[in-house]
Amino acid sequence: MSDSLRLEVDLDKIKYNAARIVELCHSRGIAVLGVTKGFTAIPQIVLAILAGGVDGLADARMENILELRNEGCLESITLLRIPRLSNVDNVVKYCNVSVNSEVAVIQALGQAAEKMGVDHQIILMVDVGDLREGIMIENVLDTVRKVEGVEGIRLVGLGTNMGCFGGVLPEYSNLNILVNLGKMIENRLGIPIEVLSGGGTSSLLLVEKGEMPAGINQLRIGEGILLGTDTTNQRIIDWLKNDAFVLKAEVIEVKRKPSVPIGNIGRDAFGNIPEFADVGIRNKAIVALGKQDAYIEGIIPVDKGITILGASSDHTIIDITDTTRKIQVGDELAFHVTYSGLLSVSQSRYVKKVFRKD
């Protein structure tokens, strides 16, 4: 495979981001799980995150977790996607902790744990408003009563997800619901709640501002460590490195062309009806990168004055009219990636991963 289409990964910047986030969170009594799903748990990146001092790892994909274990990873790993009933044996065997919301699955996890002679730790997910996974607030106590006696299971805490589906922002008010539920369980049922997991990167802003409710003692951080960004809060985190990942692609055509296609317009290769603004003849480049390689809406040109016009499976068309750089066939263009862009590029076998240290 040619190296002309590649994702360059600066491991030192990832380690730096992890260390800064850990430093901040530890100063507030909050543990940090390094989330590895955003880059398909590539071992070199995992090691950089661990070197930054995270308290454990977390991933949503059992395939990633299996690869980590096969690579000899002995760190505590939390399964972030509520388990499939059909996969409870693997969850117990390879994960120290799993997040859960279904009593039937917890019971099955308990049965698997008993067969293996181990205790499996669970965190009950509570839906405080984002409407992804989780028990509704009014049903938490009843659910705890149902699972507290399940053999092979140890309830260690409560967790919640913020921002990932409904876009709901973490706030003192909604995260404090988790704190109050934890106190209620301890007071009424006598069950100690060791972990209150208050979301991911979007919750970091509350920590920075000193507004995180006392009692929240775990965050699950992926995007902040990897990219130094916070998509939910629409911000670049200015005290972190934002360029640890750079995607590079080769220019395969440079031509002056009209800005509007010529002829009757039907649907493109993906079934969409494209729309174009007539801004005259433009200088355009094509790079050897397409939708089969990356989520195009998740990549951003590094050079100023360059605009992505669109892409097909294998070609990305770029307007280079307004850049001061003289771009020729054979040149490389560099792109920053968003979290969605990183997700797609990381799992593409067409994109070579190149690791470096400063």
Side-chain angles (χ1 to χ4, degrees):
M1 180 173 60
S2 170
D3 292 357
S4 63
L5 179 56
R6 66 189 184 278
L7 181 68
E8 295 184 351
V9 185
D10 191 317
L11 298 173
D12 284 338
K13 289 179 179 177
I14 294 169
K15 175 183 173 182
Y16 174 88
N17 284 352
R20 290 296 307 276
I21 290 171
V22 166
E23 179 184 22
L24 171 68
C25 289
H26 281 188
S27 72
R28 307 289 200 275
I30 299 171
V32 176
L33 299 185
V35 177
T36 59
K37 64 177 183 173
F39 55 93
T40 63
I42 295 170
Q44 294 92 328
I45 303 175
V46 173
L47 289 174
I49 291 174
L50 289 172
V54 296
D55 301 287
L57 301 174
D59 203 296
R61 304 282 175 164
M62 278 304 304
E63 294 85 352
N64 292 343
I65 293 170
L66 285 169
E67 288 184 13
L68 285 173
R69 294 306 193 202
N70 289 336
E71 289 284 335
C73 178
L74 301 177
E75 302 293 327
S76 175
I77 300 179
T78 297
L79 177 64
L80 288 182
R81 182 164 65 183
I82 50 179
R84 289 171 286 159
L85 192 57
S86 60
N87 201 32
V88 292
D89 287 341
N90 277 339
V91 174
V92 171
K93 185 175 181 179
Y94 296 108
C95 303
N96 303 84
V97 187
S98 63
V99 302
N100 286 269
S101 63
E102 288 289 340
V103 172
V105 175
I106 294 169
Q107 291 170 339
L109 288 167
Q111 291 171 3
E114 275 201 290
K115 288 178 184 177
M116 297 181 199
V118 299
D119 281 338
H120 181 69
Q121 300 177 37
I122 65 166
I123 291 175
L124 281 182
M125 295 299 281
V126 180
D127 194 331
V128 299
D130 197 60
L131 300 184
R132 201 178 73 174
E133 81 278 37
I135 304 157
M136 298 306 289
I137 296 166
E138 62 271 20
N139 297 326
V140 169
L141 275 179
D142 183 54
T143 302
V144 172
R145 290 188 181 100
K146 290 178 180 177
V147 303
E148 67 170 318
V150 176
E151 296 293 332
I153 291 297
R154 188 163 80 87
L155 173 63
V156 295
L158 304 177
T160 195
N161 173 71
M162 306 298 296
C164 290
F165 174 68
V168 174
L169 295 174
E171 297 174 332
Y172 181 93
S173 58
N174 51 28
L175 288 181
N176 201 45
I177 292 171
L178 213 59
V179 176
N180 290 333
L181 285 170
K183 292 177 180 176
M184 190 182 302
I185 292 167
E186 291 181 339
N187 293 335
R188 295 191 186 180
L189 304 179
I191 300 172
I193 297 299
E194 302 167 18
V195 176
L196 291 175
S197 190
T201 295
S202 60
S203 296
L204 266 182
L205 187 59
L206 293 178
V207 183
E208 294 172 53
K209 295 161 66 175
E211 296 177 1
M212 180 65 76
I216 298 295
N217 60 5
Q218 184 192 88
L219 293 180
R220 313 174 302 271
I221 308 294
E223 181 187 357
I225 290 174
L226 301 170
L227 300 171
T229 56
D230 174 1
T231 299
T232 302
N233 285 295
Q234 303 177 69
R235 67 180 183 128
I236 293 174
I237 305 174
D238 58 13
W239 47 278
L240 296 175
K241 304 291 185 183
N242 315 118
D243 57 351
F245 295 86
V246 178
L247 178 65
K248 291 189 176 178
E250 185 176 335
V251 176
I252 56 176
E253 178 182 290
V254 177
K255 301 253 188 264
R256 286 179 61 78
K257 293 188 177 183
S259 49
V260 176
I262 302 163
N264 296 321
I265 302 297
R267 295 185 182 272
D268 64 19
F270 293 87
N272 304 308
I273 300 177
E275 295 181 1
F276 299 90
D278 190 351
V279 290
I281 303 296
R282 306 292 286 179
N283 292 330
K284 297 183 180 182
I286 297 176
V287 294
L289 165 73
K291 292 185 177 182
Q292 196 166 359
D293 309 300
Y295 177 64
I296 300 301
E297 289 79 4
I299 66 174
I300 304 164
V302 171
D303 292 307
K304 293 182 179 179
I306 290 178
T307 304
I308 297 175
L309 297 174
S312 61
S313 300
D314 314 295
H315 305 74
T316 296
I317 299 89
I318 297 172
D319 190 325
I320 58 173
T321 308
D322 298 327
T323 182
T324 57
R325 176 181 168 188
K326 182 176 174 57
I327 296 173
Q328 301 176 345
V329 170
D331 288 349
E332 287 186 335
L333 295 184
F335 303 87
H336 295 303
V337 294
T338 65
Y339 191 68
S340 58
L342 181 60
L343 278 171
S344 60
V345 169
S346 295
Q347 62 186 345
S348 173
R349 67 186 181 94
Y350 302 110
V351 180
K352 184 177 179 63
K353 282 71 178 179
V354 179
F355 306 98
R356 62 185 178 87
K357 295 184 178 182
D358 290 337

mmCIF file of all heavy atoms in Angstrom, residues 267-301:
data_model
loop_
_atom_site.group_PDB
_atom_site.id
_atom_site.type_symbol
_atom_site.label_atom_id
_atom_site.label_comp_id
_atom_site.label_asym_id
_atom_site.label_seq_id
_atom_site.Cartn_x
_atom_site.Cartn_y
_atom_site.Cartn_z
ATOM 1 N N ARG A 267 -29.278 12.431 -9.747
ATOM 2 C CA ARG A 267 -28.726 12.149 -8.425
ATOM 3 C C ARG A 267 -27.272 11.705 -8.558
ATOM 4 O O ARG A 267 -26.874 11.138 -9.577
ATOM 5 C CB ARG A 267 -29.542 11.057 -7.725
ATOM 6 C CG ARG A 267 -30.967 11.504 -7.422
ATOM 7 C CD ARG A 267 -31.745 10.479 -6.628
ATOM 8 N NE ARG A 267 -33.118 10.931 -6.403
ATOM 9 C CZ ARG A 267 -33.498 11.692 -5.373
ATOM 10 N NH1 ARG A 267 -32.595 12.072 -4.479
ATOM 11 N NH2 ARG A 267 -34.752 12.064 -5.254
ATOM 12 N N ASP A 268 -26.491 11.989 -7.499
ATOM 13 C CA ASP A 268 -25.097 11.576 -7.527
ATOM 14 C C ASP A 268 -24.981 10.088 -7.175
ATOM 15 O O ASP A 268 -25.992 9.386 -7.017
ATOM 16 C CB ASP A 268 -24.241 12.442 -6.600
ATOM 17 C CG ASP A 268 -24.616 12.311 -5.130
ATOM 18 O OD1 ASP A 268 -25.276 11.316 -4.752
ATOM 19 O OD2 ASP A 268 -24.238 13.211 -4.344
ATOM 20 N N ALA A 269 -23.746 9.612 -7.051
ATOM 21 C CA ALA A 269 -23.519 8.184 -6.824
ATOM 22 C C ALA A 269 -24.088 7.696 -5.495
ATOM 23 O O ALA A 269 -24.252 6.484 -5.293
ATOM 24 C CB ALA A 269 -22.022 7.891 -6.882
ATOM 25 N N PHE A 270 -24.420 8.621 -4.600
ATOM 26 C CA PHE A 270 -24.942 8.238 -3.291
ATOM 27 C C PHE A 270 -26.434 8.565 -3.151
ATOM 28 O O PHE A 270 -26.971 8.554 -2.051
ATOM 29 C CB PHE A 270 -24.130 8.923 -2.193
ATOM 30 C CG PHE A 270 -22.703 8.422 -2.125
ATOM 31 C CD1 PHE A 270 -21.723 9.003 -2.909
ATOM 32 C CD2 PHE A 270 -22.358 7.353 -1.322
ATOM 33 C CE1 PHE A 270 -20.415 8.530 -2.885
ATOM 34 C CE2 PHE A 270 -21.061 6.877 -1.279
ATOM 35 C CZ PHE A 270 -20.081 7.458 -2.073
ATOM 36 N N GLY A 271 -27.061 8.881 -4.273
ATOM 37 C CA GLY A 271 -28.499 9.094 -4.265
ATOM 38 C C GLY A 271 -28.938 10.488 -3.897
ATOM 39 O O GLY A 271 -30.144 10.743 -3.735
ATOM 40 N N ASN A 272 -27.982 11.416 -3.766
ATOM 41 C CA ASN A 272 -28.320 12.794 -3.403
ATOM 42 C C ASN A 272 -28.450 13.669 -4.642
ATOM 43 O O ASN A 272 -27.830 13.400 -5.681
ATOM 44 C CB ASN A 272 -27.238 13.372 -2.482
ATOM 45 C CG ASN A 272 -27.022 12.528 -1.247
ATOM 46 O OD1 ASN A 272 -27.966 12.213 -0.539
ATOM 47 N ND2 ASN A 272 -25.772 12.145 -1.003
ATOM 48 N N ILE A 273 -29.230 14.725 -4.538
ATOM 49 C CA ILE A 273 -29.310 15.715 -5.606
ATOM 50 C C ILE A 273 -28.388 16.873 -5.229
ATOM 51 O O ILE A 273 -28.683 17.644 -4.307
ATOM 52 C CB ILE A 273 -30.747 16.222 -5.804
ATOM 53 C CG1 ILE A 273 -31.668 15.043 -6.173
ATOM 54 C CG2 ILE A 273 -30.785 17.292 -6.887
ATOM 55 C CD1 ILE A 273 -33.130 15.434 -6.321
ATOM 56 N N PRO A 274 -27.234 17.005 -5.906
ATOM 57 C CA PRO A 274 -26.268 18.044 -5.517
ATOM 58 C C PRO A 274 -26.736 19.434 -5.925
ATOM 59 O O PRO A 274 -27.473 19.608 -6.909
ATOM 60 C CB PRO A 274 -25.008 17.640 -6.280
ATOM 61 C CG PRO A 274 -25.497 16.854 -7.456
ATOM 62 C CD PRO A 274 -26.748 16.167 -7.010
ATOM 63 N N GLU A 275 -26.322 20.417 -5.161
ATOM 64 C CA GLU A 275 -26.626 21.814 -5.458
ATOM 65 C C GLU A 275 -25.308 22.587 -5.563
ATOM 66 O O GLU A 275 -24.379 22.352 -4.789
ATOM 67 C CB GLU A 275 -27.502 22.420 -4.359
ATOM 68 C CG GLU A 275 -28.878 21.777 -4.264
ATOM 69 C CD GLU A 275 -29.743 22.413 -3.179
ATOM 70 O OE1 GLU A 275 -29.253 23.365 -2.521
ATOM 71 O OE2 GLU A 275 -30.886 21.964 -2.999
ATOM 72 N N PHE A 276 -25.248 23.514 -6.524
ATOM 73 C CA PHE A 276 -24.016 24.255 -6.763
ATOM 74 C C PHE A 276 -24.330 25.738 -6.919
ATOM 75 O O PHE A 276 -25.354 26.111 -7.497
ATOM 76 C CB PHE A 276 -23.328 23.751 -8.041
ATOM 77 C CG PHE A 276 -22.930 22.299 -7.981
ATOM 78 C CD1 PHE A 276 -23.820 21.297 -8.402
ATOM 79 C CD2 PHE A 276 -21.689 21.926 -7.504
ATOM 80 C CE1 PHE A 276 -23.461 19.960 -8.347
ATOM 81 C CE2 PHE A 276 -21.323 20.588 -7.452
ATOM 82 C CZ PHE A 276 -22.203 19.604 -7.868
ATOM 83 N N ALA A 277 -23.441 26.578 -6.405
ATOM 84 C CA ALA A 277 -23.540 28.024 -6.595
ATOM 85 C C ALA A 277 -22.645 28.419 -7.762
ATOM 86 O O ALA A 277 -21.501 27.950 -7.866
ATOM 87 C CB ALA A 277 -23.111 28.758 -5.332
ATOM 88 N N ASP A 278 -23.165 29.288 -8.637
ATOM 89 C CA ASP A 278 -22.393 29.719 -9.797
ATOM 90 C C ASP A 278 -21.482 30.877 -9.399
ATOM 91 O O ASP A 278 -21.925 32.007 -9.226
ATOM 92 C CB ASP A 278 -23.339 30.144 -10.929
ATOM 93 C CG ASP A 278 -22.606 30.373 -12.243
ATOM 94 O OD1 ASP A 278 -21.350 30.376 -12.221
ATOM 95 O OD2 ASP A 278 -23.267 30.522 -13.270
ATOM 96 N N VAL A 279 -20.201 30.558 -9.227
ATOM 97 C CA VAL A 279 -19.204 31.598 -8.884
ATOM 98 C C VAL A 279 -18.135 31.669 -9.971
ATOM 99 O O VAL A 279 -17.013 32.111 -9.723
ATOM 100 C CB VAL A 279 -18.575 31.322 -7.502
ATOM 101 C CG1 VAL A 279 -19.584 31.555 -6.395
ATOM 102 C CG2 VAL A 279 -18.008 29.906 -7.416
ATOM 103 N N GLY A 280 -18.497 31.220 -11.165
ATOM 104 C CA GLY A 280 -17.593 31.342 -12.298
ATOM 105 C C GLY A 280 -16.584 30.221 -12.398
ATOM 106 O O GLY A 280 -16.728 29.162 -11.780
ATOM 107 N N ILE A 281 -15.566 30.458 -13.205
ATOM 108 C CA ILE A 281 -14.499 29.475 -13.403
ATOM 109 C C ILE A 281 -13.590 29.486 -12.176
ATOM 110 O O ILE A 281 -13.190 30.545 -11.685
ATOM 111 C CB ILE A 281 -13.683 29.789 -14.667
ATOM 112 C CG1 ILE A 281 -14.611 29.844 -15.896
ATOM 113 C CG2 ILE A 281 -12.577 28.765 -14.857
ATOM 114 C CD1 ILE A 281 -15.280 28.537 -16.220
ATOM 115 N N ARG A 282 -13.257 28.289 -11.697
ATOM 116 C CA ARG A 282 -12.443 28.176 -10.474
ATOM 117 C C ARG A 282 -11.273 27.220 -10.702
ATOM 118 O O ARG A 282 -11.340 26.323 -11.549
ATOM 119 C CB ARG A 282 -13.288 27.630 -9.313
ATOM 120 C CG ARG A 282 -14.563 28.384 -9.037
ATOM 121 C CD ARG A 282 -14.300 29.758 -8.495
ATOM 122 N NE ARG A 282 -13.842 29.705 -7.092
ATOM 123 C CZ ARG A 282 -13.528 30.787 -6.379
ATOM 124 N NH1 ARG A 282 -13.576 32.000 -6.930
ATOM 125 N NH2 ARG A 282 -13.129 30.669 -5.128
ATOM 126 N N ASN A 283 -10.212 27.448 -9.929
ATOM 127 C CA ASN A 283 -9.099 26.498 -9.912
ATOM 128 C C ASN A 283 -9.481 25.347 -8.987
ATOM 129 O O ASN A 283 -9.798 25.568 -7.812
ATOM 130 C CB ASN A 283 -7.820 27.161 -9.396
ATOM 131 C CG ASN A 283 -7.294 28.202 -10.362
ATOM 132 O OD1 ASN A 283 -7.475 28.084 -11.573
ATOM 133 N ND2 ASN A 283 -6.646 29.229 -9.829
ATOM 134 N N LYS A 284 -9.443 24.131 -9.525
ATOM 135 C CA LYS A 284 -9.866 22.978 -8.739
ATOM 136 C C LYS A 284 -8.787 21.900 -8.730
ATOM 137 O O LYS A 284 -8.061 21.720 -9.714
ATOM 138 C CB LYS A 284 -11.168 22.386 -9.288
ATOM 139 C CG LYS A 284 -12.368 23.330 -9.211
ATOM 140 C CD LYS A 284 -13.617 22.640 -9.712
ATOM 141 C CE LYS A 284 -14.834 23.546 -9.658
ATOM 142 N NZ LYS A 284 -16.063 22.866 -10.102
ATOM 143 N N ALA A 285 -8.726 21.218 -7.595
ATOM 144 C CA ALA A 285 -7.824 20.075 -7.472
ATOM 145 C C ALA A 285 -8.635 18.865 -7.046
ATOM 146 O O ALA A 285 -9.672 18.990 -6.389
ATOM 147 C CB ALA A 285 -6.722 20.369 -6.459
ATOM 148 N N ILE A 286 -8.149 17.695 -7.437
ATOM 149 C CA ILE A 286 -8.712 16.434 -6.962
ATOM 150 C C ILE A 286 -7.623 15.711 -6.182
ATOM 151 O O ILE A 286 -6.476 15.632 -6.633
ATOM 152 C CB ILE A 286 -9.205 15.555 -8.113
ATOM 153 C CG1 ILE A 286 -10.355 16.251 -8.866
ATOM 154 C CG2 ILE A 286 -9.676 14.195 -7.597
ATOM 155 C CD1 ILE A 286 -10.845 15.494 -10.087
ATOM 156 N N VAL A 287 -7.970 15.202 -5.009
ATOM 157 C CA VAL A 287 -7.020 14.393 -4.241
ATOM 158 C C VAL A 287 -7.502 12.949 -4.204
ATOM 159 O O VAL A 287 -8.701 12.662 -4.345
ATOM 160 C CB VAL A 287 -6.822 14.927 -2.800
ATOM 161 C CG1 VAL A 287 -6.164 16.291 -2.821
ATOM 162 C CG2 VAL A 287 -8.129 14.960 -2.032
ATOM 163 N N ALA A 288 -6.520 12.049 -4.052
ATOM 164 C CA ALA A 288 -6.807 10.611 -4.036
ATOM 165 C C ALA A 288 -7.329 10.207 -2.662
ATOM 166 O O ALA A 288 -6.660 9.552 -1.864
ATOM 167 C CB ALA A 288 -5.558 9.821 -4.396
ATOM 168 N N LEU A 289 -8.546 10.603 -2.419
ATOM 169 C CA LEU A 289 -9.231 10.394 -1.137
ATOM 170 C C LEU A 289 -10.720 10.474 -1.420
ATOM 171 O O LEU A 289 -11.165 11.377 -2.128
ATOM 172 C CB LEU A 289 -8.814 11.484 -0.141
ATOM 173 C CG LEU A 289 -9.653 11.680 1.118
ATOM 174 C CD1 LEU A 289 -9.411 10.530 2.079
ATOM 175 C CD2 LEU A 289 -9.308 13.003 1.795
ATOM 176 N N GLY A 290 -11.488 9.543 -0.883
ATOM 177 C CA GLY A 290 -12.916 9.572 -1.136
ATOM 178 C C GLY A 290 -13.727 9.110 0.052
ATOM 179 O O GLY A 290 -13.189 8.874 1.146
ATOM 180 N N LYS A 291 -15.006 8.976 -0.178
ATOM 181 C CA LYS A 291 -15.903 8.587 0.915
ATOM 182 C C LYS A 291 -15.645 7.171 1.406
ATOM 183 O O LYS A 291 -16.058 6.816 2.509
ATOM 184 C CB LYS A 291 -17.360 8.736 0.460
ATOM 185 C CG LYS A 291 -17.775 10.185 0.236
ATOM 186 C CD LYS A 291 -19.249 10.306 -0.106
ATOM 187 C CE LYS A 291 -19.649 11.768 -0.252
ATOM 188 N NZ LYS A 291 -21.095 11.929 -0.538
ATOM 189 N N GLN A 292 -14.952 6.372 0.599
ATOM 190 C CA GLN A 292 -14.596 5.029 1.043
ATOM 191 C C GLN A 292 -13.424 5.073 2.026
ATOM 192 O O GLN A 292 -13.164 4.110 2.738
ATOM 193 C CB GLN A 292 -14.245 4.150 -0.156
ATOM 194 C CG GLN A 292 -14.228 2.661 0.167
ATOM 195 C CD GLN A 292 -14.204 1.792 -1.070
ATOM 196 O OE1 GLN A 292 -14.224 2.281 -2.185
ATOM 197 N NE2 GLN A 292 -14.186 0.494 -0.879
ATOM 198 N N ASP A 293 -12.741 6.204 2.075
ATOM 199 C CA ASP A 293 -11.585 6.366 2.962
ATOM 200 C C ASP A 293 -11.910 7.148 4.221
ATOM 201 O O ASP A 293 -11.322 6.901 5.278
ATOM 202 C CB ASP A 293 -10.467 7.112 2.224
ATOM 203 C CG ASP A 293 -10.147 6.487 0.881
ATOM 204 O OD1 ASP A 293 -9.768 5.309 0.870
ATOM 205 O OD2 ASP A 293 -10.286 7.183 -0.150
ATOM 206 N N ALA A 294 -12.822 8.094 4.115
ATOM 207 C CA ALA A 294 -13.056 9.014 5.234
ATOM 208 C C ALA A 294 -14.443 9.612 5.150
ATOM 209 O O ALA A 294 -15.034 9.717 4.065
ATOM 210 C CB ALA A 294 -12.014 10.137 5.228
ATOM 211 N N TYR A 295 -14.949 10.006 6.297
ATOM 212 C CA TYR A 295 -16.171 10.801 6.358
ATOM 213 C C TYR A 295 -15.770 12.219 5.979
ATOM 214 O O TYR A 295 -15.137 12.928 6.765
ATOM 215 C CB TYR A 295 -16.746 10.733 7.772
ATOM 216 C CG TYR A 295 -17.976 11.576 7.994
ATOM 217 C CD1 TYR A 295 -19.156 11.328 7.317
ATOM 218 C CD2 TYR A 295 -17.953 12.630 8.915
ATOM 219 C CE1 TYR A 295 -20.283 12.099 7.525
ATOM 220 C CE2 TYR A 295 -19.076 13.403 9.142
ATOM 221 C CZ TYR A 295 -20.239 13.132 8.434
ATOM 222 O OH TYR A 295 -21.358 13.901 8.650
ATOM 223 N N ILE A 296 -16.084 12.612 4.759
ATOM 224 C CA ILE A 296 -15.536 13.844 4.194
ATOM 225 C C ILE A 296 -15.954 15.075 4.997
ATOM 226 O O ILE A 296 -15.176 16.037 5.139
ATOM 227 C CB ILE A 296 -15.963 13.988 2.715
ATOM 228 C CG1 ILE A 296 -15.444 12.793 1.899
ATOM 229 C CG2 ILE A 296 -15.441 15.300 2.130
ATOM 230 C CD1 ILE A 296 -13.943 12.610 1.913
ATOM 231 N N GLU A 297 -17.156 15.045 5.549
ATOM 232 C CA GLU A 297 -17.596 16.191 6.361
ATOM 233 C C GLU A 297 -16.795 16.298 7.660
ATOM 234 O O GLU A 297 -16.903 17.310 8.373
ATOM 235 C CB GLU A 297 -19.081 16.053 6.681
ATOM 236 C CG GLU A 297 -20.012 16.262 5.489
ATOM 237 C CD GLU A 297 -20.089 15.037 4.572
ATOM 238 O OE1 GLU A 297 -19.480 13.999 4.900
ATOM 239 O OE2 GLU A 297 -20.750 15.138 3.523
ATOM 240 N N GLY A 298 -15.985 15.294 7.955
ATOM 241 C CA GLY A 298 -15.193 15.299 9.181
ATOM 242 C C GLY A 298 -13.723 15.602 8.966
ATOM 243 O O GLY A 298 -12.903 15.331 9.842
ATOM 244 N N ILE A 299 -13.371 16.150 7.790
ATOM 245 C CA ILE A 299 -11.995 16.566 7.548
ATOM 246 C C ILE A 299 -11.979 18.045 7.157
ATOM 247 O O ILE A 299 -12.907 18.540 6.515
ATOM 248 C CB ILE A 299 -11.298 15.700 6.479
ATOM 249 C CG1 ILE A 299 -11.930 15.884 5.104
ATOM 250 C CG2 ILE A 299 -11.321 14.234 6.897
ATOM 251 C CD1 ILE A 299 -11.191 15.176 3.979
ATOM 252 N N ILE A 300 -10.916 18.733 7.556
ATOM 253 C CA ILE A 300 -10.825 20.187 7.367
ATOM 254 C C ILE A 300 -9.448 20.515 6.788
ATOM 255 O O ILE A 300 -8.425 20.151 7.376
ATOM 256 C CB ILE A 300 -10.997 20.931 8.705
ATOM 257 C CG1 ILE A 300 -12.329 20.536 9.357
ATOM 258 C CG2 ILE A 300 -10.901 22.434 8.513
ATOM 259 C CD1 ILE A 300 -12.416 20.893 10.822
ATOM 260 N N PRO A 301 -9.373 21.206 5.634
ATOM 261 C CA PRO A 301 -8.065 21.539 5.057
ATOM 262 C C PRO A 301 -7.215 22.361 6.020
ATOM 263 O O PRO A 301 -7.707 23.283 6.678
ATOM 264 C CB PRO A 301 -8.423 22.349 3.813
ATOM 265 C CG PRO A 301 -9.818 21.949 3.464
ATOM 266 C CD PRO A 301 -10.492 21.680 4.773
#
